[in-house]
Amino acid sequence: MTTTTLTAGALAGLLPVGVECAEAFGPPPAGTLFGAEAAHVEGRSPRRQRQFTAARVLAREALAGLGRAPGPLLPGRGGAPRWPGGVVGSITHCEGYTACAAAGADRHASLGVDAEPQEPLPQGVLQLSATAAERRRLSRLPNGPVPWDRLLFSAKEATYKAFYPLTETWTGLASISVTLHPDGRFTARHPLHPLPRTGRWTAHRGILVTTLALPPDTSGYEWARPTRRR
C-alpha cells in the first residue's frame, strides 16, 4: 500500500522546523492534474506521467501544510518546479519513492531534496561525478549497508537542487564538493558560493534520502554568480 504523510518517514526528520514534507513509498500515488499540468505531460510515456502526477499530488499536500491553495505546478528553467510566490521547494523521485518538501521563502532561501535506491552506483558514474579526493574519502568510511558512492551522488544532487534557484547556472556534480559523515550529515560547498553548508541524509526502507536547506541569508549569492568578461 502506498503511504503518504506530512510528519513521518524518511524526509521530515531531515529538514528544519517550518518545512512541510510529503512522501510516498511504493507505487507513485495517483491523482488529478490541473489542465496546464496535464497538457505539459501529454504524449509523454506512461511512466513519466505517473511520476509527474505523483510529485504534484505530494506537492499539494506540502503546500496545504503551509496554508497555500492548490494550483498548477509547472517546470521552469532547468526543469525545476515554478513554486508559488513566497514558497521554495524541491521534488524528488526514484523507483519506489516520491517526495516533496516546501517552505516559506521568508524562512529558507532554498531547499534541495534527492532520493536514490540504496544500491551502489552503476560502473563509471562515480568517476564522472566525484573528484579523486572525494573518492579517497569514501574509501575511509566504515563498511556497512550504506553504499557511500550512491549517497555521495545523492548529496551532490540535493546540493545542486538547493543552489540552482539562486544561481540559475548549471553546475557539474564533480565541481560540487561534498564530504559525507557517518552520523547522518554531509558538508557541501558549491563552486559559486563556497561557504560550507551542512545537509542531512538517511537510509530508510531501501531508499537513500539527502536534503539541504539554505537559510535566508541570500547576501553573497549575487556576487557568487559568474560575470562576463569583455
Side-chain angles (χ1 to χ4, degrees):
M1 177 181 294
T2 299
T3 308
T4 63
T5 176
L6 290 171
T7 58
L11 189 57
L14 301 180
L15 289 162
V17 173
V19 179
E20 295 290 341
C21 306
E23 59 187 349
F25 289 89
T32 302
L33 295 176
F34 287 95
E37 294 172 329
H40 178 77
V41 292
E42 185 177 1
R44 305 289 183 90
S45 70
R47 181 173 182 269
R48 176 57 185 147
Q49 291 185 21
R50 289 193 297 269
Q51 290 174 337
F52 185 90
T53 301
R56 271 64 198 169
V57 168
L58 298 186
R60 293 195 234 294
E61 286 192 40
L63 289 170
L66 296 174
R68 302 297 293 257
L73 191 62
L74 297 171
R77 183 179 177 183
R82 295 200 303 264
W83 296 93
V87 173
V88 298
S90 185
I91 287 172
T92 188
H93 54 76
C94 67
E95 191 67 33
Y97 183 73
T98 310
C100 172
D106 58 332
R107 302 193 67 168
H108 299 283
S110 189
L111 300 174
V113 175
D114 189 69
E116 298 284 336
Q118 193 173 336
E119 302 170 355
L121 281 174
Q123 187 174 2
V125 175
L126 183 64
Q127 286 69 26
L128 295 174
S129 58
T131 64
E134 287 173 323
R135 297 196 296 271
R136 285 194 297 270
R137 289 198 294 268
L138 291 185
S139 69
R140 295 193 289 267
L141 290 169
N143 294 327
V146 176
W148 298 113
D149 59 346
R150 178 83 74 162
L151 183 63
L152 179 71
F153 181 88
S154 181
K156 285 173 176 256
E157 286 279 358
T159 302
Y160 173 82
K161 289 180 180 182
F163 276 94
Y164 182 81
L166 304 172
T167 65
E168 295 185 344
T169 301
W170 181 86
T171 305
L173 294 187
S175 66
I176 296 172
S177 175
V178 167
T179 300
L180 300 175
H181 307 290
D183 62 358
R185 296 176 299 117
F186 66 87
T187 304
R189 287 179 172 85
H190 191 281
L192 302 184
H193 189 75
L195 290 177
R197 297 293 185 181
T198 300
R200 302 284 303 278
W201 67 267
T202 192
H204 188 74
R205 294 175 61 176
I207 304 295
L208 301 172
V209 182
T210 55
T211 68
L212 181 63
L214 298 179
D217 56 343
T218 54
S219 61
Y221 290 112
E222 288 292 333
W223 61 255
R225 294 184 187 181
T227 57
R228 291 185 179 179
R229 294 184 179 180
R230 296 186 179 181

